Structure formats: C-alpha cells, structure tokens
Amino acid sequence: MVSYEEVVTKYPYPLARPLWRVTFTERSTGYRDPSSYARLSEAIIKYLTALLVGQYAAAGTTDFALNQQIRGLRQATAGTWAAALRAMFKYLTQPGKNLLMPEFVLFYNKPLAPNSAMLTCYQTVKNMFRLNATQPQAVNNFIDFMATMRNKVMHDAGRSDAQRNELATVMRAAIEELLSELDFLLVYWHMAITNVQVISQQHELYRYSVSKVTGMEIEPREQPNDSSLILEPERVYVNERHQSFAPLFSLEPILVYRRCSDCNDQQPQTFLANETSGQGSKYLSYQCSHTIVLTGADDPFNQLAIPTTAASPATEPVALFTEPDLPQLVLDFGNPQPDGSYWLGITSPRGENLSGRYKLPFEDNCIEAVARAINARRHADYPLVERLVRPGERKTVLLNCLRTLGLWDESHNAVVADVEQRVGKLLGNSLLADTTFKGQLSKLRHAASLAKGGSVVLIFRSEAAHKLATLPWELTLDSRQPLLHKGEPLLGCTRIIPANQPPPEPHPVGEQLHVLLVRAPLNGSPQAAAEALTASLNSLPDQSLAVELLATPTLSGLCERLLEEPTVDVLDYRGVVSAGSLLLTGQPPVSVSELLKLGCQS
Amino acid sequence: MLHANEDAGQQTDETLAGFAVSLSLVDVPAVVALPSNEQAASSFYRKLAEGYSVQQAVTAAREALRTSTGNRWQQPLVYLRQKDNQPYVLLQRPAVVSEESQ
C-alpha cells in the first residue's frame, strides 16, 4: 500500500499536488467536502487519459476514429473522458501495438477485492443517490463509475453535513486505494523541458534543461542533459522506468505545462484539457483552479495528427461517410388561397421548382376526427372498448365528420373497418388532382427504381399548414395501391416543420450515440424486449451506440437521468400518449412543455 | 431527439401524429414514431450508428416492418424541425467503415 506521504512526494505532480491541495484545505477548514473529491476524481481520469493518449501519440496517431475522439475531449463530459480512456486502452492493448507502460494493463484490469474501498465507495454512492449502476468488478469499472460519481456529487445539493462527510470519507478512501494501485508510476518520473540549446548542429546534439514534475512542487534539476533526441520545450515527458534521462512520450495534448497568468507564481505548472473556448482550447489547473486558453499554433490539439511526412497515414484526409443522394419529390405546403386550397411548391426529383394547388378533401375541423378514427381502428379491442370518444366529450361534431366522409358504420355504431383504405383514397384523390404533382410522382418512381431508393418530402411551411402535418399521408392511395409502395422500391416519407436552424451537428467519429429507453408499462411488461434490444445494440462491433434502459420510469427518474452524463441523444419512449402528455409509471402525465424543460435542463 | 414508440396494444386516446407535431413546434429536432417491433427498432438504430440520417433510418425501419409484418409499413412517422430538407445525421462515421457495413 502506498502511503499518502509517498503519493504527495513521489507521484507525478498532476496527481500529487491536487491530492495535497484537498488534504491541506480539509485540514485548514476542518471540513470534508465531497465536491473536492469529485474534482480530484476528474483530475485522475484526465491524467490517466493523458498517459494513454501520450503513448498513442508516440506511436503515430494513425487511427482516425481515435484522433476524432481525442479532439472531442476538448468539450467532453467526465463520462466521455472515461470512455476515451477505455477506447485508448483497447487500442493500445491490441496485438502488434506497443504500450510503453505495460504495467498499465495490470492496473486497469485488476479485480476489486471484496473488502475494497472502491467497492465501499460504489455502494455508498449508489445507495445515497439511488443509482442504477452495475457493481464494478475491476479498477477500470470503478474509473467509469467515478465519472458518474463526479457528476452526481457536483450537482448534489441539500444533503446534510453528516451525509456529505460520509460521502467525502468513502470517496477519499477509494481514491487513495486507486492511487495506491498506480504504484508503478514511482519508477516513471515525469519531467518538463524548460530550455533547449543546440550543442552541435553537425552531430544533432541538444542540451535540455529540465524540471522534475514530481511530488507537490515542481523543481528544476541542476544538471542539464545532452541528447540527440528532439524534444519540445514546455512539454511534460514521461521518462523510461528507472532511467535518469530517457523520455518515452509527452503528455500533450491532454496535459500542458504553462505558467498561470492568474497566479503570482512564475513557476509553470500542469494544466489538463477542459473545454473549448471561442478562440481555442481551455485548460484547467487542478492545483490553483485557474484556466488558460491556448490558441492557434500554441493549441496542442491543433497539432495532433498533423502530418510529419506525406506518407504518414495520419496525413491522409479520411473521408466521412455520406449517404447516397436519393431522388426526392418535395411538396411545400404554403398559405391557403381564397378558394380554400393550399399553395403547393413542388420540387421535382431533378431539382426543378414548380408549383401546384392542394385542396383538402374535407373541412379543416375534420382533420382530428379522421386521425382519431384511424387511431381507434388500430386497437384490436375496438369497438368493444371505446377508443374514439373521450370520456365526457360531445361526439356530435366528430360523428358528423365521419358520417360525411363515409367513415362511420351505422350498423355497428363504429368507425368503418376499412378506414385506412378510405382515408388513403380521399387523400390520394385530392393530391393526385394536381397534374403537376402526378407527373412528378411518376418521374420520382422511375428515378427511385434506378437509384434503389427515393422519398416524398412534405414541408408544412405556413402556420396554417401545420395542421396538415397530422394527416396520415403514408396511407395515401394512388388508384388502389399505396402511393409510397406502388412498385419497388418502397418510398420514404419525411415531414418537415420548418425552423430557422439547420439540424444539430452530428457527433464526430469515435463518439457514441446515447439512447435512453423509457418503458412505462400499464399492462404487462415490455422490459424483456427492451433488455433484448439494449443487449443487441450495445454489442455492435464498434460500440457506436450506448443504449440504456431507464431503471425507474418515473418523472423524477427521467429527470435525474437527463441531468446526468453522458448526455442523452435519443429518448426512446414506449407507453401511452394521452392528451398531449406521456404517461410514466405512477406519475401524473408529463406534458410536452415539461418534457422540453427536462431536455433544456440537461 | 425523441423517438416515440407507438404501442398499439395499449390504451391510446391521442394520435401520435398530433403529439409529434406538438413536439416539433417546441423545437424538438426530430420526432420518430415507430410501432412496437424489435426488428424495426433495431434497423432504425443500426442505420443511425452507421452514419445514416434519421430520414434513411426511418426508411430502413419501414422496410423491416414490411418484411416482418407485411401491413404495418405505413406506420412509422418522422417529423423534423429544421431549416431545410438536408439529412439529419446524428453520428459521423468514416466512409470506409460505413461502406463495409452496408
């Protein structure tokens, strides 16, 4: 077991100094603050990532996805850092790759003992925050858990002093245990290059002044070192084990060595990547809590994977996947005209801008009735169970619409059984009445058969046209066949309600897409199907999807998860939609505005 | 993005289309309604993971429904809230990976 004194005197400065700082503050104030340990957890995850990124960079940065993942660390969450650490480890431990610090494998994969302080910490944090987190089996699992723990603790409020003290105590014990497992760092001393002199250009010999980046204080080493190696000033290097001067790799771009402009101290210190700023990359000191911003050529991220030779694989621009450009027929619904028809902008599959008219085959006030009739008929128990009329609702208008349109079966006092076909016919007749559209539709089918795909895009541009967006356009019939499926291939159909903004930026290569499944069963349990889907998608070879099932499908459970990291990209809800709200288990309905509020807060 | 799975077997008194439009109008970038079908959901997510757009992923789900159920292919709906008709991609992929996985 490595003692606290050994860590703060012999471990690398980026670990030793933050631990010392937390301890010093605690002793000064007499108060244990879990937030300090949350920050320390973050510093440890980042430092470990710096170690592996440094080894990866020394090997040539030839993996495009990993390079993107490293660049993504400039605006990463704690969970993203832990994921990057895992990805780096996986890459560097593949056959044929060279992990310069082989001891890292044993450390990272070391199983946790039953009496481990890390397990105690996990259990305490899990119980206190009611987390649905899997019990860590090895150090690497605990590092992942640290990211969650960091987020929980940093956003925590309203806990009693006793609970905070308990939290801080178990966190400290776990961190000390984790640091103890890093004892191999004792033989890899870290140094910063502070000055470079050329001794002999002919023999390519340089004289390096260095500072020892070990323990609580960074101190200059008295003796300079002569070497033919080309090392960069203002960088921290990890030295080969037990060697006096044999740099293995630098810790840039994750860790940089600079002077803090907010501190009076002239001595540079270490900073870890934190976030992007408007101009460049922002780095945070876990010693003084100040930040620096590095821009342009001084920004190490800009230099990552920049080619050193034309033949380097990293120099070759890697093309991003773009899906095939398939033919489309675009219908743009504009404002209603005096005769009640809508102006229709038509963009042909060849890109020509045309125009037409569209007249609804029923009154506007029947749109909802049509949609509800189709919806009712999709329930197997209708009409035995009333699905059309809401309790207490006057049904006169509803039924008048359905009767007028031939969608009401008087003999059974129910929506006609073939309502989808009848509505499809109504929509088809009205849409195909425009000859321009009809002509372009046949051109779309021809183009789609050649391109093996195509789609109809419906844009509801005017506010008045928004109500048309709820119509079941996919049911539209062309003669007796579905408009989207009259021959091969099956056409796609997309609805757009225009806004000023383009679609959000995609995640860069190497990042994961986070999907949260919310299953709120009223009858039976769809959990098994959700678990099967989760397992199947999480096992995709490149782990591009991270799918999780919300353990507690309640409003508070959903809210908690949305506030946590990693940020949810896709919320996949299965349950009941009623009166503009989602029904969650044992809760009042969650309205659209509440749902949006949750999303905004996250 | 909200991907609302319509479960036709449960009590639903409101059309998903109406709810989806409400979400779009409060600027949810994409709302997708899929019937409960594991193959359709799996096809949808796999396409997103391969770097395809939401639009193409929904078409893949539609195809999966046609294959597995025959008659529910009309039900997937996709609503996008964006400036124009460009593909809405959630995850970038390098060309070589995506092409291999096709």
Side-chain angles (χ1 to χ4, degrees), chain A residues 149-197:
Chain A
M149 178 171 77
R150 178 257 173 228
N151 296 335
K152 278 287 168 194
V153 172
M154 292 302 277
H155 294 119
D156 193 33
R159 212 165 284 280
S160 69
D161 285 350
Q163 282 181 313
R164 290 179 68 77
N165 185 59
E166 183 191 356
L167 198 53
T169 302
V170 294
M171 289 173 79
R172 179 172 183 107
I175 287 172
E176 283 189 348
E177 187 178 82
L178 180 74
L179 290 173
S180 182
E181 299 294 351
L182 283 164
D183 56 356
F184 63 89
L185 291 173
L186 291 169
V187 296
Y188 287 95
W189 76 281
H190 293 27
M191 62 182 175
I193 305 294
T194 54
N195 192 35
V196 185
Q197 280 182 285

Side-chain angles (χ1 to χ4, degrees), chain A residues 143-286:
Chain A
I143 292 170
D144 292 341
F145 179 72
M146 276 170 79
T148 306
M149 178 171 77
R150 178 257 173 228
N151 296 335
K152 278 287 168 194
V153 172
M154 292 302 277
H155 294 119
D156 193 33
R159 212 165 284 280
S160 69
D161 285 350
Q163 282 181 313
R164 290 179 68 77
N165 185 59
E166 183 191 356
L167 198 53
T169 302
V170 294
M171 289 173 79
R172 179 172 183 107
I175 287 172
E176 283 189 348
E177 187 178 82
L178 180 74
L179 290 173
S180 182
E181 299 294 351
L182 283 164
D183 56 356
F184 63 89
L185 291 173
L186 291 169
V187 296
Y188 287 95
W189 76 281
H190 293 27
M191 62 182 175
I193 305 294
T194 54
N195 192 35
V196 185
Q197 280 182 285
V198 181
I199 303 296
S200 164
Q201 278 188 330
Q202 187 184 355
H203 297 102
E204 292 183 343
L205 194 62
Y206 307 95
R207 176 159 294 167
Y208 294 105
S209 302
V210 303
S211 282
K212 188 168 61 73
V213 187
T214 300
M216 288 176 283
E217 303 292 343
I218 295 174
E219 291 170 358
R221 221 177 174 203
E222 286 178 11
Q223 291 296 322
N225 301 274
D226 293 348
S227 172
S228 59
L229 291 169
I230 300 172
L231 305 173
E232 298 289 336
E234 290 194 310
R235 277 195 190 184
V236 173
Y237 285 86
V238 176
N239 212 46
E240 174 66 286
R241 74 195 95 169
H242 303 299
Q243 298 295 310
S244 167
F245 187 80
L248 274 177
F249 58 90
S250 132
L251 293 177
E252 282 201 1
I254 306 299
L255 183 146
V256 298
Y257 180 72
R258 298 285 192 284
R259 202 178 70 76
C260 176
S261 52
D262 293 324
C263 292
N264 290 327
D265 194 357
Q266 292 300 308
Q267 171 67 52
Q269 55 172 314
T270 59
F271 291 79
L272 284 158
N274 200 44
E275 58 188 57
T276 50
S277 78
Q279 303 83 33
S281 299
K282 196 180 268 187
Y283 286 79
L284 172 67
S285 161
Y286 287 85

Side-chain angles (χ1 to χ4, degrees), chain A residues 64-65 68 318-321 323-324 326 328 330 368 371-372 375 378-380 387 390-391 420 457 459-461 466 469-471 474-475 482 484-485 487-513 515 517 519-523 526 529 532-533 536-537 540 542 544-545 569-582 590-592 595-596, chain B residues 1-32 34-67 70-102:
Chain A
F64 179 74
Q68 291 292 98
V318 179
L320 291 173
F321 168 71
E323 63 190 23
L326 297 173
Q328 294 180 336
V330 183
E368 194 188 341
R372 281 167 62 179
N375 187 54
R378 281 182 179 166
H379 289 82
R387 300 288 189 184
R390 293 174 186 150
E420 293 198 3
V457 179
I459 301 179
F460 304 96
R461 190 165 302 279
H466 288 172
T470 61
L471 285 169
E474 289 77 3
L475 300 176
L484 296 178
H485 190 17
E488 291 289 340
L490 184 66
L491 298 174
C493 181
T494 302
R495 298 154 200 236
I496 295 177
I497 298 181
N500 288 328
Q501 69 273 19
E505 284 294 310
H507 283 283
V509 172
E511 285 193 7
Q512 285 184 307
L513 196 60
V515 180
L517 305 184
R519 299 294 182 258
L522 285 187
N523 304 310
L533 181 66
S536 130
L537 294 174
L540 291 179
D542 54 2
S544 48
L545 286 180
D569 300 299
V570 182
L571 176 63
D572 180 325
Y573 172 83
R574 182 179 298 171
V576 177
V577 176
S578 177
S581 300
L582 299 178
V590 182
S591 68
V592 170
L595 197 66
L596 187 75
Chain B
M1 174 173 154
L2 178 81
H3 161 216
N5 254 307
E6 179 184 25
D7 194 335
Q10 294 190 353
Q11 297 166 12
T12 306
D13 68 357
E14 174 157 325
T15 62
L16 268 181
F19 188 65
V21 171
S22 309
L23 288 174
S24 286
L25 290 174
V26 291
D27 289 338
V28 175
V31 185
V32 174
L34 284 184
S36 299
N37 181 291
E38 200 180 325
Q39 280 167 285
S42 181
S43 297
F44 174 79
Y45 284 119
R46 282 169 192 270
K47 279 287 174 189
L48 289 185
E50 287 169 13
Y52 282 86
S53 64
V54 173
Q55 294 95 313
Q56 288 294 312
V58 171
T59 300
R62 199 182 295 284
E63 279 287 3
L65 279 168
R66 181 171 65 151
T67 309
N71 60 355
R72 297 184 73 188
W73 62 265
Q74 301 100 327
Q75 289 182 25
L77 307 177
V78 52
Y79 289 84
L80 301 180
R81 181 72 161 158
Q82 59 186 43
K83 193 173 183 177
D84 50 29
N85 183 30
Q86 69 189 95
Y88 177 17
V89 176
L90 276 75
L91 188 65
Q92 281 183 335
R93 302 306 305 273
V96 65
V97 175
S98 293
E99 280 162 12
E100 278 172 2
S101 62
Q102 280 179 59

